[in-house]
Each structure stands twice: as C-alpha cells, then as structure tokens.
Amino acid sequence: MATSIVSTGLRAVGAQVLSAVLFALAAIGWLALGDDFARRLARERHRWTAESHTPAALTAVASTTVLGVRVSLQGWQPPAVVLLIVAAVLWPPLLWIVVRHLRPNMQGAVFLVCVATQGLVTLAATLAAALPAHWLLVPALVLFVLGLVLYVDAMRHFDFTAVRNGAGDHWVAGGALAISALACAKLLAGGSTSGGWTWAASVHDTLRVIALILLALAWCWYAVLVVAEIRWPRPRYDVRRWATVFPMGMTAVATIEVAKATGWKWLTDPGHVLVWIGAAAWLLTFVGFNRQAAKRVFHGEPK
C-alpha cells in the first residue's frame, strides 16, 4: 500500500524513474504477500481464520486496489481490471468478518474498513474513465457512501490515546479520510470523462464540495499527527510505520487529484511538497526495515 501510493505520487510530480522503481517493488511485494495469503488459507486455516478477524486482514483488499490504480495509470487496463475483480471478491467476506469483531479502543488499523472500501471506489472510478466504463461509477458511488459510514463507525472504536503512543498505524485515521477524498475526486473526474457521460449537476456539485471537505479533514489529521510525533517522538522502527507512510503518500496524491477534479489548482503545489515528504518517510522506513532484517540474519534476533 505504502509503496504503491508513493510511486503514484512520484509519477504525478514527474519523477518517472523513482516511480517505476517503487512500482516494481510494490508489484513484487504484492505477489509475495499474495502467495503468503494463499498458503496460509490452504495450509494454516486456523491461523488464517484468527488473523482474518483483525482489521489488518483488509490490507489484502486495500493493497490490491492501490496497486491496481498504479497499474491503470501505467496504461495496463486488463491487469488493472483483474486486480479490481480480485479486490471485489475479497472485500465482502473480509469486511463482514472484521466488522463483526470490532471492539472498543482499537488501534488505527480499525480504519482499514474504510480504506479498503474507498480503495475499491478509487480503482473502479479510475477504470471507469480509462476504459471507459461509466457504469462502474454508480456502484462506486454507493460504496463511497458506505465507506464514509464505515469511517464513522471506525471512529467509534478507535483508541485516541494511540495518537500519543501508537506505533505507526494511528496515522490511518487520517489516511482513511485522504483515500476518501481521492475516491471522491476520481468519481468526480470519472463522471466528466467517461465516454461523454456526466453526473447530474446536483451530484457533481455535491461531490465537489465533499471532496474538498474530506481533503481539509485529512489535512487536519495530518497536522495533528505531525505535532503528536514531535511532542511524543517514536524514532524506533516498527513494521507498523509502513502504515504511517501510506497516509502521508495518500494525502499527497489526494491533494493533487482533488486539485484537478475541483479546479482548485493552487492545491497542486502543496500536493507536490507532500509527495516528497511521503517519499522521504518511505525511504526512512525502508532503511529501518532493512536494518531490522539484517539484525535478524546476522545476530539472530527474533522476528
């Protein structure tokens, strides 16, 4: 998820080589994790079942959709369609299982119920414009509304003390709003370009306002979380720091896409700045990941 969205952001600012490198890493990572997902389902059913009860299970959907958007932007629509189908098949059962097991005072991963849903919306709307296939926009709009409802429900279960002491996934509270803003921008753009088909004026205007509101709320979360990181530093690497990179990259891409879809062009420059901040965060996290992996290999540290 983190690598795909940072790759998308780098592509938007013209850093094509860096974007391509991260795109390749994201694709390799998705294939490796997909293989692990399938192996656990086939050979470790009890473990798979236990893990499917947690919100983190929905990364299977979210990562597939975010990668699918990047694939579509590359111009490879058939594989992007396959990724949409895979995500659409995984989403209902995983969401149902996760929602049934939500409980009070959960960490930031609880917002993946929203992220996975809005990821489907984003990929569907992207393909609606690229194929074109404007019929995808109607179910995507329904899912978009559901995603907002799921965000509110996740907020009820979120432990807000994680802003002070979370290990990284608390950033998904803001990232879920950012991907919601991106999904709304894609719906708005898709309804303007898909084979001449357009939204009714009232729907178009409503989506435009909602996109701007969601982006503003995502920025507010971004600011709060940055201040919290400064006030309560957590410099030690944790795998959940990838869940910090994703919202940073997603906020950047959402800002750029909302700027395009709404005509608020002045948002483009802040979006470009946020892309490079997200890329720097990705690099730091990547270094931390490799240092930890090296320690496990050479010093025998436990996983």
Side-chain angles (χ1 to χ4, degrees):
M1 290 167 60
T3 305
S4 292
I5 197 61
V6 173
S7 172
T8 301
L10 289 170
R11 184 180 186 276
V13 301
Q16 301 297 341
V17 174
L18 288 176
S19 176
V21 171
L22 266 65
F23 180 29
L25 290 175
I28 293 169
W30 184 85
L31 290 171
L33 292 172
D35 177 69
D36 183 63
F37 181 93
R39 286 176 182 271
R40 291 187 188 186
L41 178 60
R43 301 177 182 178
E44 301 178 68
R45 186 63 59 86
H46 293 296
R47 179 181 178 184
W48 188 93
T49 300
E51 292 177 345
S52 70
H53 293 174
T54 68
L58 286 166
T59 56
V61 177
S63 61
T64 301
T65 58
V66 177
L67 179 62
V69 171
R70 182 62 182 85
V71 169
S72 178
L73 292 176
Q74 196 68 25
W76 301 339
Q77 307 314 327
V81 170
V82 172
L83 290 172
L84 176 62
I85 293 171
V86 170
V89 170
L90 291 175
W91 176 75
L94 288 177
L95 182 68
W96 174 251
I97 294 169
V98 169
V99 168
R100 288 179 59 200
H101 290 86
L102 293 182
R103 61 185 188 280
N105 300 318
M106 299 186 75
Q107 295 298 302
V110 68
F111 289 98
L112 283 166
V113 295
C114 172
V115 172
T117 305
Q118 300 295 23
L120 275 173
V121 176
T122 302
L123 180 52
T126 298
L127 288 170
L131 289 174
H134 60 76
W135 64 269
L136 284 170
L137 293 171
V138 175
L141 179 60
V142 174
L143 287 180
F144 171 70
V145 175
L146 175 60
L148 297 181
V149 173
L150 289 169
Y151 184 88
V152 173
D153 188 52
M155 186 75 76
R156 294 192 309 110
H157 295 89
F158 179 51
D159 180 5
F160 281 87
T161 63
V163 173
R164 183 180 70 247
N165 55 32
D169 60 345
H170 55 292
W171 275 77
V172 185
L177 285 174
I179 196 172
S180 296
L182 176 61
C184 193
K186 290 291 188 179
L187 285 171
L188 188 58
S192 303
T193 61
S194 296
W197 185 86
T198 59
W199 293 113
S202 58
V203 176
H204 180 278
D205 292 343
T206 300
L207 287 174
R208 185 173 184 273
V209 171
I210 292 174
L212 292 168
I213 291 173
L214 289 171
L215 182 63
L217 292 173
W219 277 4
C220 289
W221 260 117
Y222 197 112
V224 168
L225 292 166
V226 167
V227 170
E229 294 284 352
I230 295 171
R231 175 62 180 83
W232 298 287
R234 284 150 276 187
R236 184 178 177 83
Y237 172 78
D238 187 288
V239 69
R240 285 167 289 185
R241 273 305 181 189
W242 288 110
T244 298
V245 178
F246 171 74
M248 296 178 81
M250 182 56 72
T251 303
V253 173
T255 301
I256 294 169
E257 292 300 321
V258 169
K260 292 179 184 177
T262 63
W264 283 35
K265 300 299 184 183
W266 66 270
L267 290 171
T268 303
D269 288 340
H272 286 189
V273 171
L274 291 177
V275 166
W276 290 110
I277 294 173
W282 182 93
L283 181 60
L284 287 172
T285 306
F286 185 69
V287 170
F289 168 79
N290 282 284
R291 288 181 64 185
Q292 186 179 79
K295 287 180 180 179
R296 290 173 181 169
V297 172
F298 294 109
H299 301 288
E301 289 191 4
K303 295 183 178 181

